[in-house]
Amino acid sequence: EVGEIAQGLGYKAYIVGGVVRDILLGKEVWDLDFVVEGDAIELAERLASRYKVKTHPFPEFGTAHLKVGTLKLEFATARRETYSRPGAYPKVERASLKEDLVRRDFTINAMAISVNPESFGTLIDYFGGVRDLKDKIIRVLHPVSFIEDPVRILRALRFAGRLGFKCSKSTERLLKQAVNLGLLEEAPTGRIMNEIRLALREDRILEILSLYRKFKVLEHIIKGFNWTQNLEDKLVSLKKVTDWHSLEFPSERIDYGWVFLMVILSTIKPDVSMKFLQDVSAPSWVRESMESLYTTLNIIKGNLQKAERNSEIYKLLKGVHLSLLLILMSCREVQDKVKLFLERLRFVKVPPEAVREMKERGLEGRELGEEIEKLKERLMDEEKSFIMERP
Ligand code: ATP
Protein backbone atom coordinates (compact mmCIF):
# COMPACT_ATOMS: atom_id res chain seq x y z
CA GLU A 1 0.00 0.00 0.00
CA VAL A 2 2.73 2.46 1.03
CA GLY A 3 4.62 1.46 -2.09
CA GLU A 4 1.64 2.11 -4.34
CA ILE A 5 1.08 5.56 -2.91
CA ALA A 6 4.78 6.34 -3.20
CA GLN A 7 4.74 5.16 -6.81
CA GLY A 8 1.71 7.34 -7.54
CA LEU A 9 3.53 10.38 -6.17
CA GLY A 10 6.68 9.56 -8.12
CA TYR A 11 8.60 8.77 -4.90
CA LYS A 12 10.50 5.76 -3.71
CA ALA A 13 9.84 4.35 -0.27
CA TYR A 14 11.81 1.85 1.80
CA ILE A 15 11.55 0.12 5.13
CA VAL A 16 14.84 0.91 6.87
CA GLY A 17 17.06 0.48 9.87
CA GLY A 18 16.47 -1.70 12.92
CA VAL A 19 13.18 -2.95 11.50
CA VAL A 20 14.96 -4.58 8.56
CA ARG A 21 17.39 -6.18 11.01
CA ASP A 22 14.50 -7.56 13.07
CA ILE A 23 12.63 -8.80 9.99
CA LEU A 24 15.74 -10.66 8.83
CA LEU A 25 16.12 -12.11 12.33
CA GLY A 26 12.56 -13.38 12.06
CA LYS A 27 11.19 -11.18 14.82
CA GLU A 28 7.69 -9.75 14.81
CA VAL A 29 7.70 -6.05 14.12
CA TRP A 30 4.99 -3.55 15.01
CA ASP A 31 6.92 -0.33 14.47
CA LEU A 32 7.83 0.23 10.85
CA ASP A 33 10.28 2.95 9.84
CA PHE A 34 10.12 4.19 6.26
CA VAL A 35 12.52 6.41 4.41
CA VAL A 36 11.12 8.23 1.42
CA GLU A 37 13.04 9.66 -1.49
CA GLY A 38 10.50 12.46 -1.81
CA ASP A 39 8.13 14.19 0.59
CA ALA A 40 7.55 11.82 3.51
CA ILE A 41 4.86 13.98 5.07
CA GLU A 42 2.82 14.07 1.89
CA LEU A 43 3.07 10.28 1.60
CA ALA A 44 2.05 9.82 5.22
CA GLU A 45 -0.94 12.09 4.74
CA ARG A 46 -2.15 10.19 1.68
CA LEU A 47 -1.88 6.92 3.56
CA ALA A 48 -3.62 8.39 6.60
CA SER A 49 -6.57 9.63 4.59
CA ARG A 50 -6.93 6.22 2.98
CA TYR A 51 -7.16 4.58 6.43
CA LYS A 52 -9.01 7.52 7.99
CA VAL A 53 -6.42 7.99 10.73
CA LYS A 54 -4.52 11.04 11.95
CA THR A 55 -0.93 11.86 11.07
CA HIS A 56 1.49 13.63 13.34
CA PRO A 57 3.78 15.60 11.05
CA PHE A 58 7.01 17.31 12.07
CA PRO A 59 7.76 19.64 9.13
CA GLU A 60 11.08 20.86 10.55
CA PHE A 61 12.39 17.26 10.45
CA GLY A 62 10.50 16.15 7.35
CA THR A 63 8.93 13.27 9.30
CA ALA A 64 5.44 12.10 10.18
CA HIS A 65 4.06 9.18 12.12
CA LEU A 66 0.71 7.50 12.23
CA LYS A 67 -0.99 4.42 13.59
CA VAL A 68 -2.89 1.91 11.51
CA GLY A 69 -4.44 -0.66 13.82
CA THR A 70 -1.62 -2.06 15.92
CA LEU A 71 1.05 -0.95 13.44
CA LYS A 72 3.03 2.19 14.13
CA LEU A 73 4.41 3.74 10.98
CA GLU A 74 7.07 6.40 10.84
CA PHE A 75 7.93 8.20 7.63
CA ALA A 76 11.10 10.21 7.16
CA THR A 77 12.35 12.09 4.19
CA ALA A 78 15.72 10.66 3.17
CA ARG A 79 18.34 12.87 4.74
CA ARG A 80 21.96 13.59 5.24
CA GLU A 81 23.25 14.64 8.64
CA THR A 82 26.29 16.59 9.62
CA TYR A 83 27.45 16.82 13.19
CA SER A 84 28.82 20.14 14.40
CA ARG A 85 30.50 18.47 17.37
CA PRO A 86 30.58 14.98 18.90
CA GLY A 87 27.21 13.86 20.17
CA ALA A 88 25.43 17.06 19.21
CA TYR A 89 22.03 16.94 17.55
CA PRO A 90 22.83 16.89 13.84
CA LYS A 91 22.08 19.37 11.07
CA VAL A 92 19.78 17.83 8.47
CA GLU A 93 19.52 18.12 4.66
CA ARG A 94 17.58 16.16 2.00
CA ALA A 95 19.44 13.33 0.33
CA SER A 96 19.25 9.92 -1.35
CA LEU A 97 18.55 6.60 0.36
CA LYS A 98 22.23 5.70 0.28
CA GLU A 99 23.18 8.91 2.06
CA ASP A 100 20.43 8.28 4.55
CA LEU A 101 21.80 4.82 5.27
CA VAL A 102 25.44 5.84 5.50
CA ARG A 103 24.71 8.14 8.47
CA ARG A 104 23.45 5.17 10.48
CA ASP A 105 25.28 3.40 13.26
CA PHE A 106 26.05 -0.22 12.33
CA THR A 107 25.92 -2.38 9.22
CA ILE A 108 23.10 -4.47 10.66
CA ASN A 109 21.07 -1.28 11.20
CA ALA A 110 21.80 0.21 7.79
CA MET A 111 19.81 -1.97 5.42
CA ALA A 112 16.61 -1.16 3.55
CA ILE A 113 13.77 -3.04 1.84
CA SER A 114 12.09 -1.45 -1.12
CA VAL A 115 8.27 -1.27 -1.01
CA ASN A 116 7.53 0.27 -4.42
CA PRO A 117 5.52 -2.24 -6.50
CA GLU A 118 8.12 -2.83 -9.22
CA SER A 119 10.81 -3.77 -6.71
CA PHE A 120 8.74 -4.79 -3.70
CA GLY A 121 10.73 -6.73 -1.14
CA THR A 122 14.17 -6.10 -2.63
CA LEU A 123 16.79 -5.93 0.07
CA ILE A 124 19.27 -3.08 -0.20
CA ASP A 125 22.47 -3.77 1.67
CA TYR A 126 25.32 -1.42 0.75
CA PHE A 127 27.52 -2.20 3.72
CA GLY A 128 27.41 -5.95 4.27
CA GLY A 129 24.67 -6.00 6.90
CA VAL A 130 23.40 -9.44 5.90
CA ARG A 131 26.84 -10.96 6.23
CA ASP A 132 27.38 -9.34 9.63
CA LEU A 133 23.98 -10.51 10.79
CA LYS A 134 24.97 -14.04 9.80
CA ASP A 135 28.39 -13.76 11.43
CA LYS A 136 26.92 -12.07 14.53
CA ILE A 137 29.00 -8.93 14.19
CA ILE A 138 28.47 -5.31 15.16
CA ARG A 139 30.43 -3.12 12.75
CA VAL A 140 30.45 0.65 12.34
CA LEU A 141 30.18 2.06 8.85
CA HIS A 142 33.22 4.31 9.07
CA PRO A 143 36.14 4.95 11.43
CA VAL A 144 34.91 8.24 12.91
CA SER A 145 31.48 6.86 13.75
CA PHE A 146 31.97 6.82 17.54
CA ILE A 147 33.59 10.22 17.46
CA GLU A 148 30.70 11.65 15.49
CA ASP A 149 28.23 10.24 17.98
CA PRO A 150 29.55 8.70 21.20
CA VAL A 151 26.09 7.42 22.12
CA ARG A 152 26.84 4.73 19.54
CA ILE A 153 29.36 3.29 22.00
CA LEU A 154 26.50 2.34 24.27
CA ARG A 155 24.27 1.31 21.38
CA ALA A 156 26.96 -1.07 20.10
CA LEU A 157 27.15 -2.77 23.49
CA ARG A 158 23.38 -2.89 23.85
CA PHE A 159 22.92 -4.63 20.50
CA ALA A 160 25.90 -6.92 21.14
CA GLY A 161 24.43 -7.90 24.52
CA ARG A 162 20.89 -8.26 23.27
CA LEU A 163 21.73 -10.35 20.21
CA GLY A 164 24.78 -12.17 21.57
CA PHE A 165 26.93 -10.50 18.89
CA LYS A 166 30.54 -9.32 19.03
CA CYS A 167 32.09 -6.10 17.78
CA SER A 168 34.36 -6.59 14.80
CA LYS A 169 38.08 -6.23 15.59
CA SER A 170 38.30 -2.72 14.17
CA THR A 171 35.01 -1.61 15.69
CA GLU A 172 36.23 -2.85 19.05
CA ARG A 173 39.45 -0.89 18.67
CA LEU A 174 37.60 2.28 17.65
CA LEU A 175 35.18 1.86 20.50
CA LYS A 176 37.98 1.54 23.05
CA GLN A 177 39.70 4.59 21.58
CA ALA A 178 36.52 6.64 21.81
CA VAL A 179 36.01 5.61 25.44
CA ASN A 180 39.63 6.48 26.28
CA LEU A 181 39.28 9.86 24.59
CA GLY A 182 36.58 10.63 27.14
CA LEU A 183 33.90 11.12 24.49
CA LEU A 184 31.18 9.70 26.71
CA GLU A 185 31.71 12.60 29.08
CA GLU A 186 31.33 15.07 26.23
CA ALA A 187 28.10 13.72 24.79
CA PRO A 188 24.88 15.41 25.95
CA THR A 189 23.77 13.87 29.25
CA GLY A 190 20.19 13.58 28.05
CA ARG A 191 21.09 11.30 25.15
CA ILE A 192 23.41 9.14 27.24
CA MET A 193 20.75 8.78 29.91
CA ASN A 194 18.16 7.89 27.32
CA GLU A 195 20.41 5.10 26.10
CA ILE A 196 20.96 3.88 29.68
CA ARG A 197 17.21 3.69 30.14
CA LEU A 198 16.91 1.60 26.98
CA ALA A 199 19.64 -0.76 28.16
CA LEU A 200 17.87 -1.22 31.50
CA ARG A 201 14.78 -2.41 29.65
CA GLU A 202 16.62 -5.26 27.92
CA ASP A 203 16.09 -8.88 28.95
CA ARG A 204 19.76 -9.68 28.53
CA ILE A 205 20.77 -6.89 30.84
CA LEU A 206 23.52 -8.98 32.44
CA GLU A 207 25.24 -9.48 29.11
CA ILE A 208 25.02 -5.76 28.41
CA LEU A 209 26.36 -4.84 31.83
CA SER A 210 29.21 -7.23 31.47
CA LEU A 211 30.12 -5.57 28.16
CA TYR A 212 29.87 -2.24 29.95
CA ARG A 213 32.37 -3.67 32.40
CA LYS A 214 34.68 -5.03 29.73
CA PHE A 215 34.80 -1.68 27.93
CA LYS A 216 34.81 0.41 31.12
CA VAL A 217 31.98 2.66 30.02
CA LEU A 218 30.15 3.20 33.30
CA GLU A 219 33.32 4.60 34.84
CA HIS A 220 32.92 7.46 32.37
CA ILE A 221 29.22 7.96 33.02
CA ILE A 222 28.84 7.54 36.78
CA LYS A 223 31.19 9.68 38.83
CA GLY A 224 33.30 7.64 41.25
CA PHE A 225 32.08 4.29 39.99
CA ASN A 226 34.34 1.22 39.86
CA TRP A 227 33.51 -2.35 38.91
CA THR A 228 34.32 -5.09 41.39
CA GLN A 229 33.85 -8.83 41.20
CA ASN A 230 31.58 -8.52 44.21
CA LEU A 231 29.25 -6.20 42.30
CA GLU A 232 29.18 -8.48 39.29
CA ASP A 233 28.33 -11.46 41.53
CA LYS A 234 25.52 -9.48 43.12
CA LEU A 235 24.07 -8.64 39.71
CA VAL A 236 24.21 -12.25 38.58
CA SER A 237 22.43 -13.29 41.73
CA LEU A 238 19.85 -10.51 41.33
CA LYS A 239 19.09 -11.74 37.81
CA LYS A 240 18.23 -15.18 39.15
CA VAL A 241 15.93 -13.56 41.68
CA THR A 242 14.15 -11.29 39.17
CA ASP A 243 13.69 -14.20 36.75
CA TRP A 244 12.21 -16.24 39.58
CA HIS A 245 9.94 -13.40 40.64
CA SER A 246 8.63 -12.65 37.16
CA LEU A 247 7.75 -16.33 36.67
CA GLU A 248 6.28 -16.82 40.11
CA PHE A 249 4.35 -13.55 40.36
CA PRO A 250 3.73 -12.33 36.80
CA SER A 251 1.09 -9.86 37.93
CA GLU A 252 3.60 -8.11 40.20
CA ARG A 253 6.26 -7.58 37.56
CA ILE A 254 8.12 -4.31 37.76
CA ASP A 255 10.75 -2.78 35.50
CA TYR A 256 13.54 -4.89 36.95
CA GLY A 257 16.22 -2.90 35.13
CA TRP A 258 15.88 -0.15 37.70
CA VAL A 259 16.66 -2.65 40.45
CA PHE A 260 19.90 -3.54 38.69
CA LEU A 261 20.73 0.15 38.52
CA MET A 262 20.00 0.50 42.23
CA VAL A 263 22.50 -2.24 43.03
CA ILE A 264 25.10 -0.64 40.79
CA LEU A 265 24.55 2.76 42.40
CA SER A 266 24.65 1.30 45.91
CA THR A 267 28.43 1.05 45.47
CA ILE A 268 28.87 4.82 45.23
CA LYS A 269 28.15 7.84 47.41
CA PRO A 270 24.45 8.59 48.06
CA ASP A 271 24.53 12.16 46.77
CA VAL A 272 26.14 11.17 43.46
CA SER A 273 23.76 8.31 43.13
CA MET A 274 20.63 10.40 43.79
CA LYS A 275 21.85 12.95 41.24
CA PHE A 276 22.30 10.17 38.71
CA LEU A 277 18.75 8.92 39.31
CA GLN A 278 17.51 12.42 38.67
CA ASP A 279 19.53 12.71 35.44
CA VAL A 280 18.24 9.37 34.19
CA SER A 281 14.65 10.37 35.09
CA ALA A 282 14.15 7.36 37.30
CA PRO A 283 10.56 6.94 38.49
CA SER A 284 9.78 8.02 42.04
CA TRP A 285 9.66 4.49 43.44
CA VAL A 286 13.28 4.04 42.38
CA ARG A 287 14.40 7.22 44.11
CA GLU A 288 12.46 6.42 47.27
CA SER A 289 13.73 2.86 47.40
CA MET A 290 17.26 4.09 46.80
CA GLU A 291 16.96 6.35 49.85
CA SER A 292 15.84 3.41 51.98
CA LEU A 293 18.57 1.27 50.51
CA TYR A 294 21.16 3.65 51.94
CA THR A 295 19.41 4.24 55.24
CA THR A 296 17.77 0.99 56.32
CA LEU A 297 18.57 -1.94 54.08
CA ASN A 298 21.64 -3.08 55.98
CA ILE A 299 19.84 -2.80 59.29
CA ILE A 300 16.97 -4.90 57.97
CA LYS A 301 19.43 -7.42 56.62
CA GLY A 302 21.23 -7.68 59.97
CA ASN A 303 17.99 -8.13 61.88
CA LEU A 304 16.76 -10.61 59.33
CA GLN A 305 19.84 -12.75 59.85
CA LYS A 306 19.05 -12.87 63.55
CA ALA A 307 15.30 -13.40 63.11
CA GLU A 308 14.09 -16.85 64.05
CA ARG A 309 10.33 -16.73 64.19
CA ASN A 310 8.16 -16.27 61.12
CA SER A 311 6.49 -13.30 62.70
CA GLU A 312 9.84 -11.56 63.12
CA ILE A 313 10.58 -12.03 59.45
CA TYR A 314 7.13 -10.79 58.59
CA LYS A 315 7.42 -7.67 60.72
CA LEU A 316 10.81 -6.81 59.28
CA LEU A 317 9.74 -7.17 55.67
CA LYS A 318 6.15 -6.00 55.49
CA GLY A 319 5.91 -2.61 53.88
CA VAL A 320 9.38 -2.91 52.33
CA HIS A 321 9.29 -2.07 48.62
CA LEU A 322 9.48 -5.05 46.27
CA SER A 323 12.68 -3.75 44.68
CA LEU A 324 14.41 -3.92 48.06
CA LEU A 325 12.97 -7.34 48.79
CA LEU A 326 14.45 -8.59 45.53
CA ILE A 327 17.81 -7.06 46.40
CA LEU A 328 17.70 -8.67 49.84
CA MET A 329 16.73 -11.98 48.32
CA SER A 330 19.82 -11.85 46.14
CA CYS A 331 21.96 -11.94 49.33
CA ARG A 332 22.69 -15.55 50.15
CA GLU A 333 22.56 -14.99 53.93
CA VAL A 334 18.90 -14.00 53.97
CA GLN A 335 17.64 -15.49 50.72
CA ASP A 336 15.48 -18.23 52.25
CA LYS A 337 13.81 -15.87 54.69
CA VAL A 338 12.88 -13.33 52.02
CA LYS A 339 11.63 -16.12 49.81
CA LEU A 340 9.45 -17.43 52.62
CA PHE A 341 8.05 -13.95 53.08
CA LEU A 342 7.34 -13.44 49.37
CA GLU A 343 5.86 -16.86 48.83
CA ARG A 344 3.89 -17.29 52.01
CA LEU A 345 4.09 -14.98 55.00
CA ARG A 346 2.73 -11.93 53.25
CA PHE A 347 -0.38 -13.85 52.23
CA VAL A 348 -1.28 -15.22 55.64
CA LYS A 349 -4.90 -14.51 56.42
CA VAL A 350 -6.87 -14.73 59.64
CA PRO A 351 -10.05 -16.80 59.53
CA PRO A 352 -13.19 -14.68 58.96
CA GLU A 353 -14.85 -16.05 62.11
CA ALA A 354 -11.95 -14.67 64.17
CA VAL A 355 -12.51 -11.24 62.68
CA ARG A 356 -16.23 -11.48 63.38
CA GLU A 357 -15.51 -12.38 66.96
CA MET A 358 -13.18 -9.37 67.32
CA LYS A 359 -15.86 -7.06 65.97
CA GLU A 360 -18.36 -8.52 68.40
CA ARG A 361 -15.92 -7.62 71.16
CA GLY A 362 -16.36 -4.04 69.98
CA LEU A 363 -13.04 -3.62 68.17
CA GLU A 364 -12.95 -1.34 65.17
CA GLY A 365 -10.66 0.83 63.07
CA ARG A 366 -7.00 0.81 63.96
CA GLU A 367 -7.51 -1.33 67.05
CA LEU A 368 -9.15 -4.01 64.96
CA GLY A 369 -6.33 -3.83 62.43
CA GLU A 370 -3.71 -4.26 65.13
CA GLU A 371 -5.53 -7.21 66.63
CA ILE A 372 -5.74 -8.88 63.23
CA GLU A 373 -2.00 -8.38 62.70
CA LYS A 374 -1.27 -9.91 66.11
CA LEU A 375 -3.36 -12.92 65.33
CA LYS A 376 -1.68 -13.29 61.95
CA GLU A 377 1.70 -13.31 63.59
CA ARG A 378 0.55 -15.90 66.12
CA LEU A 379 -0.81 -18.07 63.35
CA MET A 380 2.35 -17.95 61.29
CA ASP A 381 4.46 -18.84 64.32
CA GLU A 382 2.27 -21.66 65.58
CA GLU A 383 0.96 -23.53 62.63
CA LYS A 384 2.80 -25.60 60.11
CA SER A 385 0.43 -24.63 57.36
CA PHE A 386 -1.46 -21.39 57.44
CA ILE A 387 -4.32 -20.08 55.42
CA MET A 388 -3.17 -17.89 52.62
CA GLU A 389 -4.86 -15.84 50.01
CA ARG A 390 -2.65 -15.41 47.05
CA PRO A 391 -3.74 -13.16 44.19
P1 ATP B 1 15.49 -1.08 18.96
O1 ATP B 1 15.19 -2.47 18.56
O2 ATP B 1 16.22 -0.96 20.24
O3 ATP B 1 14.33 -0.13 18.83
P2 ATP B 1 16.46 0.20 16.59
O4 ATP B 1 17.66 -0.12 15.78
O5 ATP B 1 15.15 0.08 15.93
O6 ATP B 1 16.56 -0.67 17.87
P3 ATP B 1 16.11 3.03 17.06
O7 ATP B 1 16.76 3.79 18.16
O8 ATP B 1 14.64 3.03 16.94
O9 ATP B 1 16.71 1.60 17.21
O10 ATP B 1 16.75 3.54 15.73
C1 ATP B 1 16.27 3.20 14.46
C2 ATP B 1 17.39 3.26 13.47
O11 ATP B 1 17.93 4.58 13.40
C3 ATP B 1 18.58 2.38 13.83
O12 ATP B 1 18.39 1.06 13.42
C4 ATP B 1 19.70 3.08 13.10
O13 ATP B 1 19.67 2.77 11.73
C5 ATP B 1 19.33 4.53 13.24
N1 ATP B 1 19.95 5.15 14.44
C6 ATP B 1 19.41 5.30 15.66
N2 ATP B 1 20.26 5.92 16.50
C7 ATP B 1 21.37 6.18 15.79
C8 ATP B 1 22.60 6.82 16.08
N3 ATP B 1 22.88 7.29 17.30
N4 ATP B 1 23.50 6.91 15.09
C9 ATP B 1 23.22 6.43 13.86
N5 ATP B 1 22.11 5.83 13.53
C10 ATP B 1 21.17 5.69 14.46
Side-chain angles (χ1 to χ4, degrees):
E1 197 102 6
V2 173
E4 282 166 26
I5 299 173
Q7 189 88 345
L9 291 166
Y11 300 157
K12 284 190 176 160
Y14 308 86
I15 297 177
V16 293
V19 196
V20 177
R21 175 200 69 219
D22 286 345
I23 292 173
L24 293 175
L25 287 171
K27 293 204 186 137
E28 278 189 55
V29 293
W30 299 104
D31 294 8
L32 293 179
D33 294 334
F34 292 89
V35 156
V36 183
E37 288 177 321
D39 186 343
I41 297 180
E42 187 185 4
L43 172 52
E45 273 163 1
R46 293 277 175 107
L47 185 74
S49 73
R50 203 178 278 192
Y51 284 96
K52 305 203 165 35
V53 294
K54 268 214 228 101
T55 46
H56 307 268
F58 299 89
E60 62 278 36
F61 299 109
T63 65
H65 58 88
L66 54 127
K67 264 177 131 172
V68 179
T70 52
L71 276 184
K72 280 201 246 160
L73 309 179
E74 160 117 29
F75 293 88
T77 304
R79 63 184 189 244
R80 168 170 48 228
E81 292 181 348
T82 40
Y83 291 81
S84 51
R85 63 188 164 81
Y89 289 95
K91 189 173 132 256
V92 176
E93 293 161 303
R94 273 207 189 196
S96 66
L97 173 73
K98 186 162 187 182
E99 288 172 294
D100 191 285
L101 293 175
V102 78
R103 74 187 169 82
R104 289 170 187 266
D105 46 9
F106 313 115
T107 57
I108 60 165
N109 286 347
M111 295 180 276
I113 297 173
S114 168
V115 296
N116 280 49
E118 84 271 17
S119 53
F120 188 88
T122 306
L123 180 74
I124 296 148
D125 177 16
Y126 295 116
F127 315 105
V130 171
R131 192 191 51 215
D132 286 341
L133 214 47
K134 220 168 46 234
D135 299 344
K136 299 182 180 293
I137 287 189
I138 306 289
R139 190 194 308 274
V140 287
L141 301 189
H142 50 78
V144 292
S145 188
F146 291 123
I147 296 174
E148 220 168 57
D149 182 8
V151 174
R152 292 174 186 161
I153 299 168
L154 299 177
R155 286 178 63 85
L157 304 180
R158 176 158 61 91
F159 290 119
R162 178 204 288 178
L163 302 169
F165 284 22
K166 278 203 155 100
C167 290
S168 76
K169 273 265 140 17
S170 58
T171 297
E172 185 166 318
R173 184 170 42 78
L174 295 165
L175 191 151
K176 281 182 184 156
Q177 262 171 20
V179 173
N180 288 335
L181 283 171
L183 296 184
L184 283 166
E185 283 91 332
E186 281 172 40
T189 313
R191 293 194 58 220
I192 297 282
M193 292 300 162
N194 187 43
E195 179 50 44
I196 296 285
R197 271 200 309 278
L198 292 175
L200 294 176
R201 288 224 295 261
E202 296 276 343
D203 267 348
R204 289 175 42 109
I205 184 161
L206 273 189
E207 284 77 2
I208 297 174
L209 289 175
S210 102
L211 289 168
Y212 279 6
R213 180 179 186 187
K214 175 172 174 195
F215 292 101
K216 305 186 178 72
V217 296
L218 288 184
E219 288 82 340
H220 291 266
I221 296 172
I222 306 174
K223 216 175 85 199
F225 174 80
N226 266 306
W227 276 103
T228 58
Q229 193 50 43
N230 182 38
L231 174 59
E232 181 135 3
D233 295 345
K234 275 194 198 167
L235 295 169
V236 170
S237 161
L238 178 63
K239 180 70 169 127
K240 290 193 187 126
V241 171
T242 56
D243 284 349
W244 169 82
H245 180 264
S246 81
L247 265 179
E248 206 70 17
F249 302 103
S251 65
E252 288 182 355
R253 279 180 198 158
I254 54 174
D255 292 325
Y256 299 112
W258 293 115
V259 189
F260 286 83
L261 181 64
M262 287 168 60
V263 171
I264 291 172
L265 293 178
S266 71
T267 61
I268 62 166
K269 291 215 232 76
D271 53 329
V272 182
S273 150
M274 297 313 291
K275 167 78 168 54
F276 188 88
L277 289 180
Q278 198 175 343
D279 289 345
V280 75
S281 312
S284 55
W285 66 263
V286 177
R287 299 186 212 192
E288 284 156 22
S289 301
M290 198 67 211
E291 299 265 11
S292 332
L293 187 152
Y294 282 117
T295 52
T296 59
L297 199 69
N298 272 325
I299 303 170
I300 297 178
K301 185 174 164 188
N303 289 334
L304 206 51
Q305 276 176 282
K306 283 180 263 162
E308 281 168 8
R309 290 202 305 274
N310 284 343
S311 61
E312 293 176 79
I313 300 172
Y314 174 75
K315 278 192 279 190
L316 282 167
L317 295 181
K318 84 176 163 184
V320 173
H321 192 271
L322 178 61
S323 58
L324 298 171
L325 294 174
L326 298 174
I327 293 176
L328 277 173
M329 188 168 158
S330 65
C331 304
R332 208 178 329 104
E333 306 91 307
V334 293
Q335 175 151 59
D336 294 341
K337 288 174 177 167
V338 183
K339 188 161 184 242
L340 179 69
F341 174 80
L342 283 172
E343 282 185 328
R344 311 192 53 178
L345 299 182
R346 62 182 173 140
F347 302 120
V348 168
K349 214 178 156 280
V350 302
E353 54 279 12
V355 181
R356 211 176 316 122
E357 186 265 335
M358 286 176 200
K359 283 184 182 157
E360 276 160 16
R361 281 194 351 240
L363 292 178
E364 54 182 34
R366 213 184 58 172
E367 266 185 336
L368 177 65
E370 281 169 6
E371 200 61 23
I372 291 177
E373 283 298 286
K374 268 195 219 150
L375 178 56
K376 259 194 214 175
E377 288 163 21
R378 234 182 10 251
L379 288 175
M380 63 180 83
D381 284 343
E382 283 165 7
E383 293 180 32
K384 294 262 175 308
S385 62
F386 19 77
I387 315 163
M388 297 186 296
E389 193 171 62
R390 213 168 120 163

